[in-house]
Amino acid sequence: MAKPGLSAAVLLLLLGFLSVSSVNADALLSAPLNVTIREIEVNSAVVTWEILEGDPVIGFAITQQKKDVRMLRFIQEVNTTTRSCALWDLDEDTEYIVHVQSISMGGSSPPSEPVLFRTPKESEKMASKSPESCCYLEQLAVLPILSCPTQLQCQEQLLQRDIANAKCSSAAR
């Protein structure tokens, strides 16, 4: 029969080993690099990033927060190799902070460095658009979507098409 003190010590040692193992798995995954915001519109933007070659990434998680506001939006996608994500339903003339994390089978990476951006005012965006560029966007917007590896990418493409159509419609008026 084992001594009670010895059983507790073995259990603590085993638990300590398991928690160190999970910390090491997370520590091996690097935070995403070169996080940038592109295609900034009045109500949307696209965040892109890179990962280190060899990181066993199976997905990503994005936190989006209005600057100086405690609430945040959390977007998570797994089983994907995409390195971009559409941010939607943004408020015009508002500052946002975005972080990206890589996800692996062992857990999540540390968050990326924060990226700060501001959406433009509707009036600023419309002043920079010419009718000629809208005609081009309108032609692109009616092209069929040929391939969507994931449902999220299809939704992103449809959102971008709808945004382009809305801009062209309001610029034509």
Side-chain angles (χ1 to χ4, degrees), residues 21-144:
S21 297
S22 66
V23 168
N24 286 340
D26 292 349
L28 295 176
L29 198 57
S30 302
L33 307 167
N34 301 322
V35 177
T36 56
I37 306 296
R38 301 173 190 259
E39 302 175 34
I40 300 173
E41 303 291 338
V42 175
N43 301 110
S44 67
V46 175
V47 59
T48 63
W49 62 91
E50 297 172 4
I51 61 169
L52 288 180
E53 191 174 325
D55 272 357
V57 175
I58 62 165
F60 63 86
I62 296 172
T63 56
Q64 163 196 323
Q65 178 180 9
K66 287 182 185 179
K67 186 177 178 189
D68 303 324
V69 176
R70 289 184 179 220
M71 289 183 7
L72 60 86
R73 176 183 286 167
F74 183 75
I75 303 166
Q76 183 170 329
E77 177 80 12
V78 293
N79 297 327
T80 183
T81 57
T82 187
R83 300 292 176 253
S84 66
C85 181
L87 306 175
W88 67 96
D89 199 25
L90 304 179
D91 294 333
E92 72 175 284
D93 193 29
T94 303
E95 285 187 306
Y96 288 91
I97 302 168
V98 173
H99 292 90
V100 181
Q101 288 179 276
S102 296
I103 299 172
S104 74
M105 294 299 283
S108 299
S109 73
S112 66
E113 292 295 318
V115 176
L116 179 70
F117 72 98
R118 175 182 284 281
T119 54
K121 293 180 184 177
E122 181 72 37
S123 58
E124 292 171 354
K125 201 63 181 174
M126 292 312 297
S128 69
K129 291 288 179 191
S130 67
E132 293 81 20
S133 66
C134 275
C135 292
Y136 177 71
L137 284 174
E138 195 166 28
Q139 290 171 358
L140 286 178
V142 297
L143 292 174

